[in-house]
């Protein structure tokens, strides 16, 4: 079952076409990761799915309905997006930021409720931000700040969460913290999560479904072990690599050749075909 789809979707900035006649279905209840080289349209596609970018043609469908024709608050109750490097107004506390996630449920007739309060408190608890609720967002570390934004997104209580490079600018520890948090949300609450990630190995570790974009469309998609191969990395990223099995998780692990050190022909031959699922 798919709750988010694109049908013959074409996206462009001015005369520059980024995505062309794309048909894509996001598996419900899974973590889907979009991968591809810089400029291939990952973030553009994500923005379109969140109704932040109008298609040139085609449509994004949310639960079978064209998202562009749905009321804004109805969309926000079903779908939340965390853009890349979001910024908060100066002087905003974590609690005030997280409360912003409840805007779809506010109106002149319905102000702040016990349900709103419970949703905010739960989002703070799940993200481990309760003790930092009174802190200014600007005073937080990178990892803490990202957790605060994720808490705001969770407060929306949307079944679908879109995240554009949620680990950007974070060190290794905080990258794993954020991705572990999202993984637990998916496992425990069956949230549908769609992320743009640049790190192929983290994408393979956390995704149940990977979509590789190339030449304005989907080059390949499926489970990580079905998608990631030396041939795909060469075609999509123009990088030679070997792919082995991650010794901890059993997922594909890409080791790029690069030019940092010379690889002997014998070693290259030994490594070729080392990954077999």
């Amino acid at each position: 079952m798919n709750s988010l789809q694109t049908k013959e979707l074409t996206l462009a900035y001015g005369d520059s076409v980024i995505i062309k006649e794309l048909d894509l279905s996001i598996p419900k209840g899974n973590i889907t990761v979009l991968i591809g080289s810089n400029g291939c349209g990952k973030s553009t596609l994500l923005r379109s799915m969140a109704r932040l970018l109008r298609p040139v043609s085609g449509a994004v469908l949310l639960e079978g309905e064209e998202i562009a024709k749905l009321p804004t608050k109805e969309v926000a109750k079903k779908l939340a997006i965390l853009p890349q490097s979001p910024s908060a107004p100066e002087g905003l506390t974590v609690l005030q930021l997280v409360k912003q996630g409840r805007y779809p449920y506010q109106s002149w007739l319905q102000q702040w409720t016990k349900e709103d309060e419970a949703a905010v408190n739960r989002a703070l608890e799940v993200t481990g931000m309760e003790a930092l609720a009174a802190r200014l967002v600007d005073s937080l570390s990178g990892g803490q700040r990202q957790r605060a934004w994720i808490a705001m997104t969770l407060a929306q209580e949307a079944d679908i969460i879109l995240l554009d490079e949620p680990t950007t600018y974070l060190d290794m520890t905080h990258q794993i913290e954020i991705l572990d948090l999202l993984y637990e949300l998916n496992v425990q609450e069956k949230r549908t999560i769609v992320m743009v990630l640049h790190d192929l190995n983290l994408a393979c570790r956390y995704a149940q479904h990977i979509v590789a974009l190339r030449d304005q469309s989907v080059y390949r998609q499926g489970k990580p072990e079905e998608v990631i191969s030396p041939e795909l990395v060469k075609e999509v990223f123009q990088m030679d690599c070997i792919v082995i099995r991650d010794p901890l998780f059993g997922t594909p692990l890409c080791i790029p050749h690069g030019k940092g050190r010379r690889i002997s022909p014998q070693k290259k031959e030994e490594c070729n075909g080392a990954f077999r699922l």
Side-chain angles (χ1 to χ4, degrees), residues 236-251:
V236 173
F237 297 97
Q238 289 75 56
M239 172 66 74
D240 290 319
C241 75
I242 62 169
V243 178
I244 63 174
R245 188 186 302 273
D246 187 309
L248 289 178
F249 297 91
T251 51

Side-chain angles (χ1 to χ4, degrees), residues 15-185:
D15 295 330
S16 178
V17 175
I18 309 299
I19 296 292
K20 186 175 182 181
E21 297 179 354
L22 179 69
D23 289 325
L24 177 65
S25 294
I26 300 298
K28 187 173 183 177
N30 283 1
I31 295 177
T32 294
V33 175
L34 308 179
I35 63 170
S37 61
N38 290 340
C40 73
K42 303 182 297 295
S43 296
T44 299
L45 176 58
L46 205 71
R47 284 173 51 81
S48 177
M49 288 179 170
R51 210 174 67 167
L52 299 178
L53 179 65
R54 185 184 296 274
V56 173
S57 61
V60 175
L61 304 181
L62 178 60
E63 296 181 346
E65 298 185 71
E66 192 170 339
I67 197 171
K69 297 179 180 179
L70 295 173
T72 298
K73 285 194 172 183
E74 183 180 337
V75 172
K77 289 177 181 179
K78 297 178 179 179
L79 183 150
I81 182 168
L82 180 59
Q84 186 181 154
S85 304
S87 59
E90 188 175 348
L92 203 68
T93 67
V94 170
L95 179 59
Q96 290 170 330
L97 175 66
V98 177
K99 282 185 173 181
Q100 299 297 313
R102 298 303 295 170
Y103 85 90
Y105 304 91
Q106 307 300 302
S107 68
W108 288 109
L109 298 176
Q110 181 175 319
Q111 297 300 310
W112 196 257
T113 66
K114 291 182 179 179
E115 288 76 18
D116 295 322
E117 195 73 27
V120 167
N121 289 337
R122 185 169 181 279
L124 289 168
E125 178 184 359
V126 168
T127 54
M129 295 298 291
E130 290 173 297
L132 300 175
R135 286 272 299 274
L136 294 178
V137 175
D138 291 341
S139 72
L140 302 177
S141 69
Q144 291 169 336
R145 193 178 301 120
Q146 195 72 326
R147 280 181 175 271
W149 281 102
I150 291 175
M152 187 204 73
T153 305
L154 297 183
Q156 279 185 236
E157 296 188 319
D159 288 334
I160 303 172
I161 302 175
L162 310 180
L163 305 106
D164 191 359
E165 299 184 34
T167 59
T168 298
Y169 306 128
L170 299 183
D171 60 32
M172 186 180 299
T173 298
H174 289 120
Q175 288 182 42
I176 298 300
E177 272 187 11
I178 294 300
L179 293 174
D180 279 350
L181 169 62
L182 295 169
Y183 179 81
E184 290 302 319
L185 287 171

Side-chain angles (χ1 to χ4, degrees), residues 246-259:
D246 187 309
L248 289 178
F249 297 91
T251 51
L253 184 66
C254 297
I255 302 176
H257 289 183
K259 295 182 180 179

